[in-house]
Amino acid sequence: MTTEPTEHSEPVDQERPSGDDSRVRAETARRLERAMGALGTAAVARMESRLSWFRQMSAEDRSWVGLVAQSGVAAFVEWFKKSGKGRPAITVEVFGTAPRELTRSVTLQQTVDMLRVVIDVVENQVDELAAPGGEQQLREAVLRYTREVAFSSAKIYARAAEARGAWDARLEALIVDALLHGDREEGLQTWGAALGWSRTPVVAVAGGLGEQGEAGLLEDLRSVARRAGHDVLAGVQGQRVIVVIGVNDKYADDSDPMAAVEPLTGIFGPGPVVVGPAVADLRAAGESVAAAVNGLRAAVAWPDAPRPVLAEDLLPERALEGDGSARRQLVEEIYLPLRNAGSPLLDTLSVYLEYASSLESTARMLFVHPNTVRYRLSRIAELTGYTPSDGRGSFVLRIAVTLGRLAEGTGSGR
């Protein structure tokens, strides 16, 4: 009488002598060899019916997946023939056919889905594939092998992610360096596209590295910026950290870039954090980077500056430090409008600054009523955006007027 195998018990073949596992394994291996092509084809067909993402793949990508499935079955048969001992060299035999294509086209989760399909296909045919009495032996081999495939898949994707991350970091550093040196080539857009860059406007931020490790600080900056939905590039230049942000649409309508930058401020090392002006796209980001870096260099002259501070709020310090663009901006946006508005405004401002911001002294020197001085000072504030009676405003105005007169004195007109 023969005992019938149940679903949860190992089948017992009373006609097979005990200890004859090798003969059963050899017979099962021969059956597997004959069924290799059919198993691979059945696995791909099952993927086609069960996995919607697989149906949406291109024909070329589906062929890569099919090739990997066939390789996996062949590698299993070869390992099973060798008594299933030792750890199979799955990385080379299975994924060696197309590792780059696989990791580019298929996610790790999708790979897990494929493994489940292949396991299901093989397990459904165990009774036909295994030699009499070898069913449990084959099931255990399949489970062990698929476990090794799962581990190998995770390793491959981890290595691909690590390599991609290293490549992205090098490319980011290259772009930041190009922007720092004023590169406006079309290649910047191409490089940015390779990193998935799509958002505008673009804002640059410069701050100190401090005592933190470079890798950890850059990763924290990227993480916070990406959680807010921004595109981000980051690089380190000595003790200086430069971040370029493609601003999320949620912040794009806000003319003040501070809203996007403030969450990053605490990640920088001690000292000032300077924000460049918003520009239209990545190709123009060099202007924002230059302003932020020049502002960071000059910020030491304004110890009480807010953190973060706009590069435009550091115009006088930048101008004194030798930033030509800041000098031009002060002359064009402050001095020239005052000069073009007529001599009373410029003369009133000069006297007012000279006499320690005293309305009465200014009025006496100009032979006008104090209310006339008040009116002219309010006009100056309207034209320039800086209030003469404010300590910071008077400093900016004084530097701008001085630079404007120097420019006119040299005949440059600016």
Side-chain angles (χ1 to χ4, degrees), residues 77-246:
V77 173
E78 186 64 27
W79 173 75
F80 187 83
K81 284 169 60 179
K82 297 176 181 177
S83 301
K85 295 179 180 179
R87 298 188 64 180
I90 293 172
T91 301
V92 175
E93 295 181 8
V94 179
F95 296 104
T97 54
R100 186 173 301 173
E101 287 74 8
L102 183 65
T103 55
R104 182 185 299 133
S105 304
V106 183
T107 66
L108 179 57
Q109 181 58 53
Q110 290 170 340
T111 302
V112 172
D113 292 341
M114 288 193 302
L115 286 175
R116 288 173 178 159
V117 170
V118 174
I119 293 169
D120 187 49
V121 167
V122 176
E123 285 189 329
N124 286 342
Q125 301 186 40
V126 164
D127 292 337
E128 293 79 17
L129 293 171
E135 292 84 356
Q136 187 64 24
Q137 186 184 66
L138 180 56
R139 285 192 182 95
E140 291 175 356
V142 169
L143 289 176
R144 181 182 174 191
Y145 188 80
T146 50
R147 182 188 64 185
E148 295 294 342
V149 171
F151 287 148
S152 294
S153 300
K155 288 180 181 178
I156 285 174
Y157 278 88
R159 284 198 298 269
E162 184 178 356
R164 173 72 183 184
W167 184 85
D168 284 356
R170 289 193 295 271
L171 185 55
E172 282 190 35
L174 179 63
I175 295 175
V176 170
D177 186 68
L179 292 172
L180 188 60
H181 291 87
D183 193 340
R184 295 174 59 94
E185 295 297 324
E186 292 289 342
L188 287 175
Q189 295 288 78
T190 303
W191 295 344
L195 293 171
W197 188 280
S198 61
R199 297 193 181 278
T200 58
V202 177
V203 174
V205 189
L209 180 61
E211 300 298 323
Q212 305 174 69
E214 174 181 330
L217 182 141
L218 293 180
E219 187 56 36
D220 288 346
L221 286 169
R222 294 185 186 107
S223 177
V224 172
R226 286 168 181 158
R227 278 202 301 271
H230 307 305
D231 289 335
V232 59
L233 303 171
V236 173
Q237 302 276 336
Q239 290 297 307
R240 184 173 58 200
V241 182
I242 300 169
V243 182
V244 181
I245 299 173

Side-chain angles (χ1 to χ4, degrees), residues 73 99 176-177 232 261 264 269 298 374:
V73 173
V176 170
D177 186 68
V232 59
V261 171
L264 306 178
R374 286 193 181 91

Side-chain angles (χ1 to χ4, degrees), residues 331-343:
V331 172
E332 292 172 358
E333 295 183 5
I334 297 177
Y335 178 75
L336 291 181
L338 289 175
R339 188 196 64 181
N340 295 337
S343 59

